[in-house]
Amino acid sequence: MAAGGSASRRAQEARRQERLLREQWQVARQLARQWGAASEGERRVAAQLLVLTARGWRLLVDRRWPGTRTSNADMLLVGPGGVFVVDVKNWRSPPEAADGKLCAGGEPRDDQAAKLLAVTKAVEGAVASLGMSPVAVQPLMVFAGQRIDAGLGRIRLLGEQETGPALLSQRHRLRPESVRAIADHLERVFPDYEGAAVTQQALPASERPQHDSPDGLFDLQGLRDAVLEEGMRAPIEQWMTFLHPDQVALVRRNWSGPARVSGPAGTGKTVVALHRAAYLARRTTGRILYVTFANNLPRVQSTFLKTMAPTVADRVNFRSLHSWAQEFLQERGVPVRLHGDKAETAFSLAWKHVGRESRLVEIDPAPAYWREEIDYVIKGRGLTTFEEYATVTRRRRKASLRRAHRQSVWELYEAYESLRGERGVHDFNDVLSLALTEATRHRGRPLYEAVIVDEVQDLTLVGVRLLHALVGDVPNGLLLVGDGQQAVYPGGFRLSDAGIDIRGDRGQVLRTNYRNSKQILDTALTVVADDVFEDLDGLTTPGRRDVDLTYHDGHVARVTRPTVDAHDKELLDAVRALPDGARADTAVLCPSMRAIGHYQRLLTQAAIPVCLLEHYDGHAVDAVKLGTYRRAKGLEFKNVFLPQHDAALPREAPADAADGTKKSETAQEREQLLRSQLFVAMTRARDLLWLGSIGR
């Protein structure tokens, strides 16, 4: 290709689009003149919208508002960018939007905004039955003869020249068949007034104006640039626009108190949570807090929401729980001295002086198990006395501890706390406990309108209590999203332990898998089929749960080689064989940081671009994503590679070893946790699940 060839083709396309837009504009102006009752300014706005009808949009004009006697909707516009409720204004004074108020010429016009929002709500209800999310329905207030592009809550205020470019530059949400179906549905729900319809067919060539000088108020350059941008953008993910009608109902539901959405992997829990965040942000004036445990997931979710609902994205605060708690304490003037390494040293010394010679080694000589006991049972549950610990139910902990063993654990805990205090440092559990104390001490006006907790099963009990304290039991205040089977950390709790009462229909279970094919899901379920788990509501649930499947194209590739080198060569060959552009939606997932280091070096040496999941923010990047099973929580990829996926799992399935010795309870617990982590990694795959093994 000659240098500059791409630029030349782009210039040719720009000139072609300019000629086409000029013709479409003149045709649209002729059609708009058929509006006898409209002002000249409204006709010019209508002409802008009629230009869109030549590009796959549908325009419905002056529609009756069902359920009212005289009210109407000025225009309903349906196109690739979604559904737009358009209110055209012909005000003499320019509009002004400040502090959530709308004025013109010093006079308040909030009633006009309220009416537009009411019509928009009716349109949302109409398209919800088709599975369309509320984020795809947008209210526009368009001002004839004015120049403006501003926001008023969820309403976008546009001037005459800004309207066409703004609509053409929308990311594609709807396919042509969806545009037709939605427009036909809205035509039935919002019937027209007799005689109000305007034909949208192009005029015959003989009737087209021969001059091609555009109207002075028509920004041809802006429209042309928007068309070029539109053609260069990839279509938006369909789940950002369409959900199952049952999911849309959850997004729009008015909850009377704390609510929970659960369900097996792949059933769209996070999707519902994101759409719920956008829905609440559009209907409230307060802030929305969206929290999860992992540090990387909030960045990805924030990117998705900015794509789905850019007008309200700044109203939703995406944070990991610990980073939010540290900032909260800093704002309140509470000193935090978080130092993981020094806290770890304090525990090592406590184990050396107190734990190593105690009766705890009879159960498990590895200090890691007892560190987890302190982190997830004692400090994770906020226990402060031995008597509390002596009687507490240690959920998801298999080792049976008699009172004497618990006494030894408590002595280890006290030694750790003493050594940690001497060093003047906090651990991660301390941060949450301090934040909980501060949140319950000052119960004034809630900091947030609503709190949404994703992957709630990965939090500690103290973490859940903290988030509950921020909003209490107010309607629509707290939404908990997660699945107990996908817990990847030790320990556990019930929501009732946190004082959270999920009653009646405030506990919803999703049962349709939208991500995995039967082959991929069956492979993943085989790993956890025998692992009964207790969910957050206290119900004991079998590992293999029945789900409905909607996706059927995925497959599983199993590769077993005798050596690591041979195994890794197969991995590289499979990654290289992916089609162009596929690396952006491909992940290599590993059980440990050590394995991450190995495969980062391997891929880099093979000149395959790598993006670590801890740095991934949800934007498309032409690189293989690399991270641990835990980091992959809440994400999905078309292609998932799991090298040496079974290396950490025991080769023998029975609980008893070949020599007749019984596997310890702590060993069984660790193995079940490893299986849960592997299950989570497997269920990230949509099209390809590649499973590598070393053996003969």
Side-chain angles (χ1 to χ4, degrees):
M1 181 186 299
S6 177
S8 175
R9 283 201 305 275
R10 183 178 175 87
Q12 292 175 5
E13 175 62 15
R15 288 192 292 270
R16 188 184 73 83
Q17 290 291 348
E18 182 171 342
R19 289 193 300 270
L20 181 60
L21 284 167
R22 287 177 185 272
E23 294 176 1
Q24 292 170 345
W25 167 249
Q26 298 301 340
V27 172
R29 285 301 306 273
Q30 291 276 41
L31 293 172
R33 290 192 179 100
Q34 298 177 19
W35 289 10
S39 69
E40 177 58 25
E42 290 172 319
R43 289 172 183 164
R44 289 196 301 267
V45 172
Q48 294 245 21
L49 302 182
L50 285 168
V51 168
L52 300 178
T53 64
R55 296 176 173 274
W57 295 65
R58 288 274 295 277
L59 178 63
L60 310 179
V61 178
D62 198 18
R63 315 303 294 188
R64 296 180 186 177
W65 184 355
T68 66
R69 291 186 177 182
T70 59
S71 298
N72 73 310
D74 275 7
M75 300 180 190
L76 302 179
L77 185 67
V78 186
V83 176
F84 298 86
V85 183
V86 184
D87 188 8
V88 180
K89 298 299 182 186
N90 195 29
W91 295 352
R92 292 184 179 180
S93 302
E96 299 175 359
D99 299 324
K101 302 291 184 181
L102 179 63
C103 299
E107 296 293 326
R109 301 292 179 91
D110 290 332
D111 59 325
Q112 302 296 308
K115 178 187 174 184
L116 176 56
L117 290 176
V119 178
T120 302
K121 185 176 181 181
V123 174
E124 287 177 352
V127 298
S129 61
L130 303 177
M132 179 171 248
S133 168
V135 302
V137 181
Q138 304 177 55
L140 300 179
M141 194 172 283
V142 179
F143 298 90
Q146 305 288 347
R147 297 295 302 266
I148 187 174
D149 188 347
L152 180 69
R154 67 175 299 196
I155 299 175
R156 188 171 182 182
L157 310 178
L158 292 172
E160 188 174 305
Q161 291 192 37
E162 290 76 21
T163 301
L167 290 168
L168 275 177
S169 64
Q170 293 286 316
R171 298 181 70 94
H172 280 195
R173 293 181 181 272
L174 304 179
R175 298 184 177 122
E177 58 271 23
S178 299
V179 172
R180 290 192 295 271
I182 292 168
D184 290 345
H185 179 66
L186 289 175
E187 273 191 312
R188 292 189 293 269
V189 177
F190 293 83
D192 65 348
Y193 289 96
E194 187 174 351
V198 177
T199 179
Q200 296 173 25
Q201 295 178 344
L203 294 176
S206 61
E207 298 182 29
R208 293 180 182 177
Q210 297 305 305
H211 58 85
D212 64 353
S213 175
D215 190 289
L217 293 177
F218 181 71
D219 186 3
L220 182 64
Q221 180 66 36
L223 268 179
R224 188 191 71 186
D225 291 345
V227 168
L228 290 173
E229 282 189 77
E230 171 197 13
M232 297 175 67
R233 285 177 171 169
I236 195 170
E237 289 279 4
Q238 283 299 297
W239 64 258
M240 292 184 180
T241 298
F242 284 103
L243 306 175
H244 188 278
D246 290 345
Q247 293 176 313
V248 176
L250 295 181
V251 171
R252 303 176 70 235
R253 178 164 296 186
N254 184 30
W255 305 101
S256 61
R260 185 192 176 205
V261 175
S262 62
T267 53
K269 298 180 294 298
T270 295
V271 173
V272 169
L274 285 170
H275 284 263
R276 178 68 173 179
Y279 180 82
L280 292 175
R282 285 179 162 181
R283 279 155 184 78
T284 62
T285 57
R287 295 186 299 165
I288 312 296
L289 178 63
Y290 193 112
V291 176
T292 189
F293 182 81
N295 286 321
N296 62 309
L297 200 51
R299 292 194 300 271
V300 176
Q301 293 165 329
S302 177
T303 297
F304 288 164
L305 191 71
K306 287 175 183 176
T307 304
M308 288 165 47
T311 59
V312 298
D314 60 348
R315 298 266 320 287
V316 183
N317 185 15
F318 288 89
R319 299 297 296 273
S320 67
L321 178 58
H322 285 94
S323 69
W324 176 87
Q326 289 181 71
E327 184 177 291
F328 170 71
L329 290 170
Q330 183 179 14
E331 291 173 350
R332 297 299 183 95
V334 178
V336 177
R337 299 177 298 276
L338 181 64
H339 199 298
D341 289 342
K342 289 185 178 180
E344 190 62 39
T345 298
F347 176 79
S348 297
L349 290 173
W351 177 257
K352 176 181 177 181
H353 297 317
V354 176
R356 192 164 59 184
E357 303 300 327
S358 72
R359 58 176 59 90
L360 297 181
V361 296
E362 302 168 2
I363 297 174
D364 196 318
Y369 186 84
W370 305 110
R371 178 63 193 267
E372 291 171 353
E373 183 76 9
I374 291 173
D375 282 342
Y376 293 97
V377 180
I378 297 179
K379 301 190 75 168
R381 296 183 67 91
L383 306 181
T384 58
T385 69
F386 171 69
E387 289 307 319
E388 289 178 303
Y389 177 59
T391 58
V392 73
T393 301
R394 303 164 56 253
R395 305 198 186 282
R396 292 213 312 259
R397 301 288 276 177
K398 291 184 177 296
S400 301
L401 300 184
R402 298 191 300 273
R403 184 179 179 90
H405 291 120
R406 296 197 187 206
Q407 182 67 56
S408 295
V409 174
W410 194 260
E411 291 171 0
L412 176 64
Y413 159 70
E414 288 184 324
Y416 164 64
E417 287 293 280
S418 176
L419 290 165
R420 182 187 60 76
E422 289 175 5
R423 284 158 176 75
V425 297
H426 294 121
D427 61 21
F428 286 102
N429 280 298
D430 295 323
V431 173
L432 300 187
S433 295
L434 289 169
L436 175 58
T437 299
E438 189 65 21
T440 53
R441 179 182 299 157
H442 303 287
R443 289 190 180 274
R445 186 166 183 253
L447 290 174
Y448 297 95
E449 195 79 26
V451 173
I452 298 174
V453 187
D454 200 1
E455 305 290 354
V456 63
Q457 74 278 354
D458 290 336
L459 272 56
T460 62
L461 181 59
V462 169
V464 175
R465 283 175 175 161
L466 167 60
L467 296 170
H468 184 211
L470 297 180
V471 289
D473 294 330
V474 299
N476 301 315
L478 181 65
L479 177 62
L480 305 170
V481 179
D483 172 36
Q485 188 175 32
Q486 298 180 69
V488 295
Y489 296 95
F493 58 88
R494 292 180 180 175
L495 293 179
S496 57
D497 298 335
I500 299 175
D501 186 5
I502 304 296
R503 295 188 177 184
D505 67 352
R506 286 194 273 122
Q508 294 287 320
V509 182
L510 302 175
R511 304 185 186 280
T512 302
N513 184 306
Y514 301 96
R515 180 194 304 149
N516 310 123
S517 69
K518 185 176 188 303
Q519 186 181 7
I520 290 176
L521 185 60
D522 283 348
T523 301
L525 286 173
T526 299
V527 174
V528 295
D530 297 327
D531 292 333
V532 175
F533 69 96
E534 181 183 294
D535 209 347
L536 303 186
D537 54 10
L539 293 179
T540 300
T541 308
R544 184 179 289 276
R545 291 181 282 177
D546 292 331
V547 295
D548 297 323
L549 298 176
T550 62
Y551 191 64
H552 304 285
D553 295 334
H555 69 282
V556 177
R558 293 182 180 273
V559 174
T560 301
R561 293 295 179 266
T563 66
V564 172
D565 288 344
H567 166 279
D568 290 351
K569 181 181 182 302
E570 291 287 342
L571 172 68
L572 292 177
D573 289 345
V575 172
R576 290 191 184 105
L578 293 172
D580 291 343
R583 287 185 303 209
D585 210 356
T586 296
V588 175
L589 304 179
C590 305
S592 67
M593 291 305 300
R594 181 178 180 180
I596 292 296
H598 170 76
Y599 285 102
Q600 184 176 12
R601 289 189 295 272
L602 183 75
L603 292 166
T604 302
Q605 290 169 2
I608 296 174
V610 172
C611 173
L612 294 176
L613 281 185
E614 60 187 283
H615 300 147
Y616 176 55
D617 65 359
H619 288 99
V621 55
D622 185 25
V624 172
K625 311 305 177 296
L626 178 64
T628 63
Y629 296 168
R630 291 176 176 178
R631 288 279 187 187
K633 290 292 293 290
L635 303 175
E636 63 178 58
F637 304 93
K638 286 184 179 179
N639 312 295
V640 170
F641 292 80
L642 304 183
Q644 302 184 56
H645 77 285
D646 53 356
L649 297 178
R651 297 291 181 177
E652 297 293 331
D656 294 344
D659 60 2
T661 60
K662 189 174 183 179
K663 194 174 294 185
S664 70
E665 293 174 316
T666 57
Q668 294 178 49
E669 182 181 328
R670 278 193 291 268
E671 290 171 8
Q672 182 170 343
L673 192 61
L674 288 172
R675 288 192 293 270
S676 294
Q677 294 169 356
L678 177 58
F679 171 76
V680 166
M682 287 179 166
T683 54
R684 302 308 96 190
R686 296 201 303 269
D687 293 347
L688 167 66
L689 174 61
W690 189 94
L691 300 176
S693 301
I694 308 245
R696 297 187 182 275

